[in-house]
Each structure stands twice: as structure tokens, then as C-alpha cells.
Amino acid sequence: LGAMLTNTGHCLRAHQAMIPRNLKPFPYICGCRMLSGYKPKSNVKESYKILELEEGCSLDDIRNSYRSLAKKYHPDSGSATANSEAFMRVEEAYRVVLSDVTSKKKSSENGEEEDQFKSNAPQHRHYLSYEGVGFGTPSQREKQYMQFRVDRATEQVLEYRKQRLERQYGMTDLMKAKDVKQSKKVKITQAVERLVEDLIQESMAKGDFDNLRGKGKPLQKFSACPHIDPMTHNLNRILIDNGYQPEWILMQKEIRETIERLRKSIVASRSKLGGPMTPYRQKQWNRICEQFIEDIRKLNKRIDSFNLVVPLLSRQMVHFNADKEIVRAQKTYEALVENIEASNLGTKENEEANVERLGWKSSLLKWLN
């Protein structure tokens, strides 16, 4: 068995010696050695040129270029440009470029790690956290750091307010006068509050509140909406009692008042122009219509803002059509003219009836005269 293994080894070495040099870059096993350990003699710059790349490219660019060239020159690809020697050069260049990029990447990473270690070596993570504020256990240092941040934020807010007031007033004397005035106002308010509190306590001591209705009884539940909390109910009741209205209600009221005002104004303008219009009055009417269209456009923008804040979908409003509103104004004007004519015709008929009824009296007076 030992003699057989020895002869086998000699045969493998002989076959390895017979392999041509241009086949050694392939990682095939020949004997007890790997031919992938073959070190090419190509230059790095020539290898970049063979792969049609530039120095500093990424690994993805290298792989993509190698794949495209391998498909182009591989002997088994079946293409017209298949060339075994060119494929060997591409293979060798790919290995050289890949090793060069890998070595550069490792050296840069090692340099960054060394710089980071040098800058952070004298310190410890325990002392880097919380900006170096506080002492004691981590929980104690966290509380101290939170308080430090609160104090720092307060100082920044005060400094910002001071700078804003200085920019606003420009003079320190005015700032001092305003501060004195504000302090007096605060003192007066506090004095009034203390006086009111003293009066309430004095009335309670005298027994003025003993005869109040519902004393000693629990508060009544809110029967209107049992699902709402008492605080919200009280706030809503206070707002309603003081005349507060939501924004969307005020906007709705404003929109309705605006459209009524615009309708009345255009009808009044048409009435001023009168009956069959001359070319001059027609120009005036066209200018009035243009201004009316612009007002309607602004009102429609207001309606868009209203639809964004209204809480109910059924309460949303649609846009007003300026052309329809102008036609409506024209019809209103015609109806007014017809009513005026009808009233005038009625007065004439009444006058004629009165003349006929009083005709015999006038003839009698003439005869007597």
C-alpha cells in the first residue's frame, strides 16, 4: 500500500510538471497543491486597463466588468469573439485588481480604527454619556442630566426673550419701564385675587352660604351626554354661556352674509341702469359683472377653507356659479319691473273709475253754477 501511494504521488507530480503555464491560473487540484496560489506578474495599472476600469472603482464595477468580458472571451461561450488567451488575461487582471482593492480597503479601515482608538482610548463610555454631567450610579447621573437639560433650556428661553425685547424696544430704559409696569399689574391682580378670596372666606364664616340650594347633596350627573367627562362638559358650558362659537360656524355665517350682500348689490346696480341699455350702459354692466365674478371667486376660496374645518360632511358647502348668479339677478330685476308696471296700471284704473263715479257730481256742480 505504501509503495502504491508513493508511485501515485510521483505520477501526480509528473503530470503537474507537464501542465502548461497558461493553464495554471485555474484553481484545479494537481497533486497536493492548488494552482490558485499562482501569483501573476501583471502590473496593477495594466490590469485596470484590461478590465476597462479606472483606479478607485467599487467592487460591483469590477465584478460587472469581469462578467461582461468573460462572456465575451470565454472559449465555451460560442461567440465570435471567443479567445482563450484573452480570457486568461482577463482572469489574471481580475485577480490583480480584486486583491488591490481589497488591500486598500483593509488598510483604510485599519487606519480609521487606529485613529478612533487613539481619540477615544483615554476615555470610557461611562464618562462620555450625559455630557460628563453628574456623579454616582447611572440612574442618579441620568436624573442629574435631565435636571441639567431643563435648567439649560430655561436659560436659553430667558436669553431669547431678553434679546427679542432688546431688539423690539432698542433701549434698556424702555425695557425697564415695561418690566416695572408689568410687575405693578401682576401685583394689582394678585391683590384683587387675595381680596376676593378673603371676602369669600369671610362670607363662609358668617354663614352666608348655608342656605344654598343643594348643599350637602352629590352633584347631578350630566343627563345630556353621559359619555362625556365632567371637565369637558363644564368647559363647553362655560364657552357657550360666554357666547363662544366654533370657527366653522362663524365662517358659515360670513359666507351666507357675503352672498346675500353680493346678490343685493348686483340687483341694485342693474336697477340703476334702467330699461333697454345703451352701449355706454352696456359697458358699465359688463364692468359690474366682471367685479361680481371676481368677488364670487374669492368667496369660493373662502368656501374651500370652510370645507376643510367643518366637522360634518353634510354641512359642507358647494361653490357658487357667477354666471348663474348674474342670470338670477337679471330675472329678479325683470320681476321687479313687472311688479312696478302692474302697480302703475292698477293706480291708473283706479283713477279712471273714480272719475267715472264722480262724473255726475261735476256735471251737477256745473249746472248749478
Side-chain angles (χ1 to χ4, degrees):
L1 181 60
M4 188 180 297
L5 290 173
T6 305
N7 294 330
T8 304
H10 285 297
C11 292
L12 289 174
R13 289 189 184 91
H15 286 294
Q16 180 181 355
M18 294 172 64
I19 294 175
R21 290 185 178 180
N22 56 359
L23 294 180
K24 284 190 178 183
F26 288 102
Y28 297 140
I29 300 175
C30 294
C32 57
R33 296 181 62 189
M34 290 285 292
L35 295 181
S36 60
Y38 173 76
K39 295 182 179 179
K41 298 180 180 179
S42 300
N43 192 7
V44 177
K45 293 183 179 179
E46 294 179 358
S47 301
Y48 276 105
K49 290 182 181 179
I50 292 172
L51 292 179
E52 299 176 359
L53 296 172
E54 296 180 357
E55 294 185 6
C57 58
S58 61
L59 293 174
D60 294 334
D61 296 336
I62 296 171
R63 294 191 185 99
N64 294 332
S65 177
Y66 171 69
R67 290 193 188 98
S68 61
L69 294 175
K71 290 179 183 179
K72 184 178 180 181
Y73 295 116
H74 197 278
D76 298 333
S77 62
S79 61
T81 58
N83 189 349
S84 59
E85 294 181 358
F87 176 72
M88 292 301 158
R89 289 196 298 270
V90 170
E91 178 76 18
E92 184 178 354
Y94 172 68
R95 293 179 182 278
V96 172
V97 171
L98 195 63
S99 62
D100 179 63
V101 173
T102 305
S103 61
K104 288 181 179 179
K105 186 176 180 181
K106 287 183 179 179
S107 62
S108 62
E109 289 179 355
N110 293 332
E112 291 178 358
E113 289 178 356
E114 289 177 359
D115 295 339
Q116 186 177 5
F117 178 74
K118 289 179 181 178
S119 61
N120 297 334
Q123 301 178 355
H124 193 268
R125 185 179 64 182
H126 176 72
Y127 298 99
L128 288 174
S129 60
Y130 308 123
E131 300 181 14
V133 176
F135 58 90
T137 60
S139 59
Q140 293 176 351
R141 297 183 69 245
E142 183 179 3
K143 293 180 181 179
Q144 296 169 10
Y145 179 65
M146 291 174 64
Q147 184 63 35
F148 168 74
R149 291 184 62 186
V150 170
D151 297 338
R152 184 172 60 184
T154 305
E155 292 177 358
Q156 291 176 356
V157 169
L158 292 175
E159 184 66 23
Y160 170 73
R161 290 181 178 177
K162 180 180 177 182
Q163 293 177 0
R164 187 178 63 179
L165 290 173
E166 289 178 354
R167 289 194 302 268
Q168 184 177 358
Y169 294 99
M171 297 177 64
T172 57
D173 296 338
L174 294 176
M175 286 181 56
K176 291 180 180 179
K178 185 177 180 181
D179 292 340
V180 171
K181 185 177 179 180
Q182 187 69 20
S183 62
K184 288 182 179 179
K185 184 178 179 180
V186 171
K187 289 180 180 179
I188 292 171
T189 305
Q190 293 176 355
V192 172
E193 291 178 354
R194 288 196 298 270
L195 178 60
V196 172
E197 185 66 25
D198 294 340
L199 293 174
I200 293 172
Q201 295 294 334
E202 185 178 355
S203 299
M204 291 176 63
K206 291 179 180 179
D208 295 337
F209 298 154
D210 293 341
N211 297 326
L212 294 177
R213 185 178 62 181
K215 180 184 178 182
K217 297 180 181 180
L219 295 175
Q220 296 180 359
K221 297 295 181 181
F222 304 103
S223 58
C225 185
H227 304 290
I228 193 171
D229 59 300
M231 180 62 70
T232 305
H233 179 83
N234 289 331
L235 291 175
N236 292 335
R237 182 167 54 82
I238 292 170
L239 292 173
I240 292 171
D241 293 342
N242 288 274
Y244 171 78
Q245 291 181 350
E247 181 184 3
W248 65 274
I249 291 179
L250 297 176
M251 292 177 65
Q252 187 181 30
K253 183 179 179 182
E254 179 187 354
I255 291 169
R256 290 176 178 174
E257 292 177 352
T258 304
I259 190 63
E260 290 297 328
R261 178 175 55 80
L262 291 176
R263 287 171 178 173
K264 290 180 180 178
S265 65
I266 193 171
V267 171
S269 300
R270 182 65 186 88
S271 300
K272 288 180 181 179
L273 295 176
M277 291 186 293
T278 61
Y280 176 73
R281 291 185 177 181
Q282 185 65 38
K283 291 181 180 180
Q284 289 182 344
W285 174 245
N286 292 336
R287 287 196 295 269
I288 292 170
C289 292
E290 290 176 359
Q291 183 62 36
F292 180 78
I293 291 171
E294 180 65 21
D295 295 337
I296 291 294
R297 186 183 64 81
K298 294 179 181 179
L299 184 61
N300 289 334
K301 285 187 177 181
R302 190 65 174 167
I303 290 173
D304 293 336
S305 302
F306 167 77
N307 291 334
L308 291 175
V309 298
V310 65
L312 301 176
L313 185 62
S314 59
R315 294 296 184 92
Q316 290 191 347
M317 303 178 68
V318 296
H319 287 182
F320 292 101
N321 192 338
D323 297 334
K324 291 183 179 179
E325 293 294 335
I326 293 173
V327 172
R328 178 179 178 178
Q330 186 70 24
K331 291 181 179 179
T332 304
Y333 165 72
E334 293 175 358
L336 289 174
V337 172
E338 291 178 358
N339 292 333
I340 292 172
E341 291 178 354
S343 62
N344 292 334
L345 182 61
T347 54
K348 289 181 181 180
E349 292 178 353
N350 292 332
E351 290 178 357
E352 292 177 356
N354 292 330
V355 169
E356 291 178 355
R357 187 174 65 252
L358 299 176
W360 62 274
K361 292 184 179 180
S362 61
S363 60
L364 179 62
L365 290 172
K366 289 179 181 180
W367 179 76
L368 290 174
N369 291 329

